[in-house]
Every structure is written in C-alpha cells, then in structure tokens.
Amino acid sequence: MSLKFDELKKIYGDNIYKNEILSKYSWFNLGGPSEIFFRPNSVAQLSSFLQEIKKTKNKTTIIGAGSNTLIRDSGVKGVTIKLGSKFSFLNLINNDTIHAGAATLDKKISNFAKDNSLSNFEFLSCIPGSLGGGIVMNSGCYENEISKILVSVEVIDENGKIFEIEKDKINFFYRGCDLPDNFIILSAKLKGLKLDKSKIEKKQSEFIKKKEQSQPSQIKTCGSTFKNTKNYKAWELIKKSNCEKMFVGKAKISQKHCNFFVNEGNAKATEIEQLIHKTKEQVFKKTGIKLELEIKIIGER
Ligand SMILES: Cc1cc2nc3c(=O)[nH]c(=O)nc-3n(C[C@H](O)[C@H](O)[C@H](O)COP(=O)(O)OP(=O)(O)OC[C@H]3O[C@@H](n4cnc5c(N)ncnc54)[C@H](O)[C@@H]3O)c2cc1C
C-alpha cells in the first residue's frame, strides 16, 4: 500500500513532512530527501504512527544525531523517523542511576552525571551522538563504552508495543549490539559510581583535551569510518597502505586522523562512498585485511 501523505498529515500535523532534505541531519552535511519525515513528540504519537505505517508495508529508518550516518544523495525511501525534543530528558533515580531519553545528546548526559557527582559518564562528553545511537553503536572511548554503564533500555517495536529490556538480554560487542533493527529505543537507564564532582570534572576535561589533540574538530565528518581490527587500529592500516592523501572530488581523508573522512565543502555522498571503497581496496591489496565499516550508510543507491 502506498504512503498517503495527505491522510498522515491530517493526523500528525506539523510533526510530519514530505521530501525533507536530510543533509542537515547528518554530520557529513550530506544526503537527499526523505519521502516522509516524521518527528514524533510523544511516545503515544510514535506508537500510533508505527501502527499506521505498518499497514503500508513501507520501510522505516531511524536516525539519531546523525554523527555516525552517511545519507546517500538520492535520499531515503519510505519513512525516516527522528525523535523530537520530548525524547530528550534526564532524570536522576536512586541517587546513582540516570533515566535519559533516547534523543538526549551524550554530552548532556555526561554533564548531568557530573552535576550529580556520578562518575563513569565522562567519556560521553567526547561523543557527539545521541543516547539511542550510542546504544545501537555501543559507542565508547578511553576504555569505556555505553554497555558498561547501561542498566536497561526501553524500546518500541513496529507494532507500537513498548517494553523494557535488561542489559543482560542484549549482546553488546565492539561498536554494535544485537538489538533488532525494527526496535526504536525510547529511553535508557544508566548507572554510575558516586564520586567527588571535582574529580569527575578533571577526568572529563582530560578526555576532552585528549580528543582535541588527536582528532579533527569543526569539520564535516562522522568520526571513525572503519572499525579497528583485532590486531590493528584502522588508521594504522590506512596509513600503512598510503591512503592518507587519497580523495574523490571534495571527499577527503583528514590529515589529523586518517580514519576520519571529510566532506570538504560541497562533496557528494557518492564521493565519500567512493573514497571508502577506494581505501578499503587499497588496504586489502597492501595488507590482506578487509576493513569493516563503522559508519552506517543509508538511502537509495
Ligand atoms: C567528531 C566525531 C567524533 C566521534 N567520536 C566517537 C568516539 O570516540 N567513539 C565512538 O564510539 N563514536 C564516535 N563517533 C561516532 C558517533 O558519534 C557515535 O557512533 C554516536 O553514538 C552515534 O550516535 P547518533 O545519535 O549520532 O547516531 P546516528 O548516526 O544517528 O545513528 C547511528 C545508528 O543508530 C541508530 N539509531 C539512532 N537512534 C536510534 C534510536 N533511538 N533507536 C534505534 N536506533 C537508533 C541508527 O538507525 C543508526 O543505525 C564520533 C563521531 C564524530 C562526528
């Protein structure tokens, strides 16, 4: 069944748009239009929408802060969902646990934890994503990752049904987890350790400084393009294979961190994708190692 935009518009009003250009929702600043773009502002609205969409059998794509997602130039077919501002919230429960909405930025969670003298959230100040994206990616740095502080996640499925999943029921691994693709994370509980606020502040500033020194900032990138392998960092393999100076049009490799690919202004998503393939091929030719993507690529070819 086709998507009847006018009917959906009658129900969801200003929360739904047609042909919304997605480039502004990705850190690469790239991407074509989404056939239908939905920004729910309540769980009830999202639940009702998912039930409507299920009848049409259209594909649903969820995006968070877009800091790990390359969106193709031809855009995204079906429905793209980005949680609205009501999904960005922070509450302290039981003194050592934070209940946060999935759209909450990691940096905000880190600062909230600091303000409440809760440690182990410092690393989140270095990750520019949202909590939902962080859980799906099991994001982390400096010997920590989301799964280590996670207690449980609240999700909604394609039928609009909501349930809570304990951390132990989810298999987390390096930059990923086995949560089904059709689950949208609504919120999560994260547990920290009580610590003196000044110590947390110090750790947080050290991490931020370390990041600034090792990685480029103020550029259009989605962070690490490839995952590290068992024995090598992806950047080491890229460097060893002499890929650092490679480019396709305005898609370049950062000179500060060669696993960061950059839109140097007016690149096309296709150019970033071509650069990814070119690099992967060269690394394989030189080292025999097949690099695996860390960033997600969505949209029509
Ligand atoms: C400058 C820079 C530095 C970075 N440094 C790090 C780092 O140190 N460590 C690290 O791990 N990553 C890093 N990243 C990558 C990125 O920030 C993380 O992967 C981040 O957690 C992605 O979150 P997001 O909300 O932007 O996800 P998106 O890119 O929007 O989405 C990523 C994935 O999560 C899914 N998703 C998003 N929200 C939800 C939801 N609510 N429910 C279900 N699925 C959802 C999407 O469908 C997609 O599959 C960096 C990126 C940049 C640009």
Side-chain angles (χ1 to χ4, degrees):
M1 203 196 295
S2 67
L3 284 165
K4 296 198 174 91
F5 179 75
D6 295 341
E7 285 172 25
L8 292 170
K9 186 84 187 159
K10 271 188 213 150
I11 314 173
Y12 303 105
D14 289 346
N15 296 86
I16 195 160
Y17 323 62
K18 206 174 178 176
N19 296 326
E20 174 78 347
I21 301 295
L22 295 176
S23 56
K24 61 176 178 252
Y25 303 105
S26 163
W27 270 60
F28 271 125
N29 197 220
L30 295 169
S34 167
E35 205 175 349
I36 288 191
F37 186 73
F38 182 55
R39 282 205 83 163
N41 240 341
S42 72
V43 173
Q45 196 188 41
L46 175 59
S47 174
S48 133
F49 181 79
L50 289 169
Q51 290 168 61
E52 287 296 324
I53 291 303
K54 198 177 176 211
K55 292 182 211 156
T56 70
K57 294 200 166 59
N58 270 278
K59 200 173 153 253
T60 302
T61 305
I62 169 99
I63 53 170
S67 66
N68 201 54
T69 304
L70 174 66
I71 305 169
R72 292 198 173 104
D73 304 311
S74 308
V76 179
K77 268 213 169 135
V79 177
T80 309
I81 298 176
K82 181 173 165 72
L83 301 177
S85 58
K86 291 274 160 51
F87 292 84
S88 172
F89 62 82
L90 287 154
N91 292 311
L92 185 67
I93 44 175
N94 301 336
N95 231 10
D96 64 355
T97 303
I98 293 173
H99 180 216
T104 315
L105 291 178
D106 295 333
K107 201 177 165 185
K108 279 195 172 176
I109 302 174
S110 183
N111 285 336
F112 182 79
K114 178 185 68 188
D115 292 342
N116 286 286
S117 303
L118 272 184
S119 182
N120 279 351
F121 293 77
E122 295 86 349
F123 75 103
L124 285 178
S125 58
C126 300
I127 302 175
S130 67
L131 177 60
I135 293 169
V136 168
M137 296 306 302
N138 190 18
S139 296
C141 56
Y142 306 129
E143 265 92 68
N144 216 341
E145 55 191 22
I146 293 247
S147 57
K148 290 192 184 169
I149 52 170
L150 191 71
V151 177
S152 62
V153 292
E154 185 195 25
V155 300
I156 187 165
D157 69 9
E158 77 276 20
N159 301 308
K161 209 174 144 222
I162 299 154
F163 41 99
E164 193 166 351
I165 310 172
E166 297 299 315
K167 191 263 273 302
D168 297 348
K169 299 276 181 320
I170 308 167
N171 178 28
F172 282 99
F173 41 88
Y174 167 59
R175 298 300 166 262
C177 71
D178 66 355
L179 274 175
D181 282 349
N182 58 332
F183 282 5
I184 296 177
I185 299 168
L186 300 173
S187 71
K189 290 187 187 123
L190 309 151
K191 196 171 181 165
L193 275 178
K194 278 283 176 196
L195 192 72
D196 196 70
K197 194 175 163 183
S198 62
K199 288 188 180 146
I200 297 173
E201 222 151 27
K202 190 164 171 265
K203 201 166 158 193
Q204 204 190 37
S205 320
E206 278 167 12
F207 283 171
I208 293 170
K209 210 164 158 199
K210 218 164 146 184
K211 267 263 171 172
E212 277 168 4
Q213 280 163 358
S214 61
Q215 294 179 359
S217 54
Q218 315 279 324
I219 53 164
K220 294 170 182 176
T221 182
C222 272
S224 295
T225 312
F226 297 103
K227 292 181 186 175
N228 295 327
T229 66
K230 203 169 160 224
N231 298 317
Y232 300 98
K233 299 268 185 205
W235 69 262
E236 288 172 332
L237 294 168
I238 295 169
K239 198 168 177 174
K240 213 168 150 179
S241 311
N242 298 324
C243 299
E244 284 167 293
K245 298 248 152 56
M246 275 185 356
F247 65 92
V248 175
K250 290 284 179 193
K252 309 240 160 104
I253 290 178
S254 161
Q255 295 305 296
K256 195 164 178 185
H257 192 305
C258 62
N259 196 21
F260 277 46
F261 288 25
V262 188
N263 165 13
E264 279 255 314
N266 50 354
K268 298 240 178 310
T270 340
E271 292 172 343
I272 301 270
E273 216 173 336
Q274 281 167 4
L275 186 59
I276 287 171
H277 289 302
K278 228 171 126 178
T279 308
K280 212 173 151 177
E281 253 176 51
Q282 183 144 326
V283 168
F284 185 64
K285 253 191 222 158
K286 295 258 177 178
T287 67
I289 296 170
K290 268 191 189 163
L291 283 174
E292 204 185 309
L293 268 188
E294 176 169 327
I295 61 164
K296 305 278 185 189
I297 302 179
I298 59 169
E300 301 305 304
R301 281 184 192 278

